[in-house]
């Protein structure tokens, strides 16, 4: 269910303030450009990966949810381009209102995605037994051939007619096929508790942004999964997901693989409960 506003549904009490003179505030300029482009807040959020709450706050000239000047300037640049504005005047206006351009600071480290530890396997005794049997058969065959060769030489020396010895036939030993290697992702959540909902998100085909919340709306994760990474979430009632590039992700819910064919680049909003893997 979309929670973005339509381009023309901004009521007067929600409009950001206009600064003195003819120049509008930063939030007002972005809002007017978005409405002129025929875009909703939800459209801008999907296109830029900037959360809906932050887009609303910036259009109200509230930059506190951005987490600092560096991130606020980055959001301004991204949003301005999405609504077809030149970001340079807005950035200059922001710097003038907030004490100048901030010194470069290192970006906050991204959440390290949990990696599923592969199941520990014991030694392959089947392969060892096959190798030992092959070695014994080879040794026996070599000994018999050597004995036959020595006997033939003795008969020739005594003037007897040598006879050709028949090759020793050995019956091949059937080998037992090795057990199929278990899928680490399946084994990691196969024992998911029945009284909770467990959702695992993996990124086997590329990098994607994801957001996850519990049944109280508390944010569990908001960030990127790099290719090959995974993240597991668990709650007693439900897990709400937003997938930025659903086509690059694979989901496992309550120990079962979700077979939905998500489109590359498509944004998906999903809810899973204890009774799934059906989408809630």
């Amino acid at each position: 269910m979309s929670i973005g506003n339509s381009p023309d549904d901004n009521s007067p009490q929600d409009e950001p303030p206009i600064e003195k003179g003819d120049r509008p505030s930063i939030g007002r300029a972005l809002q007017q450009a978005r409405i002129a482009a025929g875009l909703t807040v939800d459209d801008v959020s999907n296109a830029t990966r900037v959360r809906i709450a932050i887009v609303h706050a910036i259009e109200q000239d509230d930059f506190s949810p951005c987490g600092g000047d560096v991130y606020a300037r980055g959001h301004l640049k991204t949003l301005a381009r999405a609504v077809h504005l030149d970001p340079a005047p807005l950035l200059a206006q922001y710097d003038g209102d907030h004490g100048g351009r901030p010194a470069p600071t290192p970006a906050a480290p991204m959440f390290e995605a949990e990696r599923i530890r592969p199941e520990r396997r014991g030694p392959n005794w089947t392969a060892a037994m096959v190798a030992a049997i092959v070695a014994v058969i080879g040794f026996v065959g070599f000994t018999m051939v050597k004995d036959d060769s020595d006997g033939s030489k003795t008969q020739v020396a005594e003037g007897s007619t040598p006879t050709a010895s028949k090759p020793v036939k050995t019956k091949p030993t059937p080998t037992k096929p090795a057990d199929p290697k278990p899928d680490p992702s399946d084994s990691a959540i196969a024992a998911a508790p029945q009284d909770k909902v467990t959702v695992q998100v993996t990124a086997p085909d590329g990098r994607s942004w994801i957001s996850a919340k519990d049944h109280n709306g508390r944010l569990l994760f908001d960030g990127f999964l790099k290719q090959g990474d995974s993240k597991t979430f668990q709650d007693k009632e439900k897990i709400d997901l937003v997938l930025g590039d659903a086509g690059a992700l694979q989901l496992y819910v309550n120990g079962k693989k979700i077979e939905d064919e998500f489109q590359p680049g498509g944004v998906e909003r999903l809810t899973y409960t204890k009774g799934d893997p059906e989408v809630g």
Side-chain angles (χ1 to χ4, degrees), residues 136-150 168:
V136 171
I137 293 175
F139 176 76
V140 173
F142 172 77
T143 303
M144 295 181 68
V145 172
K146 184 175 183 300
D147 291 343
D148 290 343
S149 177
D150 292 343
V168 179

Side-chain angles (χ1 to χ4, degrees), residues 98-274:
H98 294 81
R101 185 171 182 175
T105 57
M110 293 177 59
F111 289 94
E112 288 294 335
E114 295 178 353
R115 293 184 178 272
I116 302 302
R117 183 172 298 175
E119 183 180 359
R120 192 171 183 178
R121 302 185 62 189
N124 192 337
W125 293 110
T126 301
M129 291 177 64
V130 171
I133 292 172
V134 172
V136 171
I137 293 175
F139 176 76
V140 173
F142 172 77
T143 303
M144 295 181 68
V145 172
K146 184 175 183 300
D147 291 343
D148 290 343
S149 177
D150 292 343
S152 298
K153 290 180 180 179
T154 302
Q155 291 177 353
V156 171
E158 294 176 352
S160 302
T161 302
T163 56
S165 60
K166 295 182 179 181
V168 179
K169 294 183 179 181
T170 59
K171 185 178 180 181
T173 303
T175 58
K176 183 180 179 182
D179 295 334
K181 186 176 181 181
D183 188 339
S185 298
D186 292 340
S187 63
I189 59 175
Q194 298 298 318
D195 60 341
K196 295 181 180 180
V197 55
T198 302
V199 178
Q200 182 194 61
V201 186
T202 65
D205 299 324
R207 180 173 178 264
S208 176
W209 170 86
I210 69 169
S211 175
K213 295 181 180 179
D214 63 12
H215 73 283
N216 290 322
R218 183 173 63 91
L219 187 64
L220 301 176
F221 181 78
D222 185 352
F224 285 91
L225 290 187
K226 296 180 291 185
Q227 183 174 3
D229 286 351
S230 65
K231 193 75 177 175
T232 302
F233 310 104
Q234 195 172 83
D235 188 71
K236 64 181 181 180
E237 293 185 14
K238 69 175 182 176
I239 296 293
D240 293 322
L241 292 176
V242 180
L243 310 179
D245 183 358
L249 300 172
Q250 177 63 61
L251 302 182
Y252 297 84
V253 179
N254 298 326
K256 297 181 181 180
K257 183 178 181 180
I258 300 299
E259 300 295 345
D260 291 358
E261 295 182 358
F262 298 128
Q263 296 299 318
V267 178
E268 294 287 342
R269 288 173 169 80
L270 307 170
T271 298
Y272 293 103
T273 63
K274 291 182 289 186

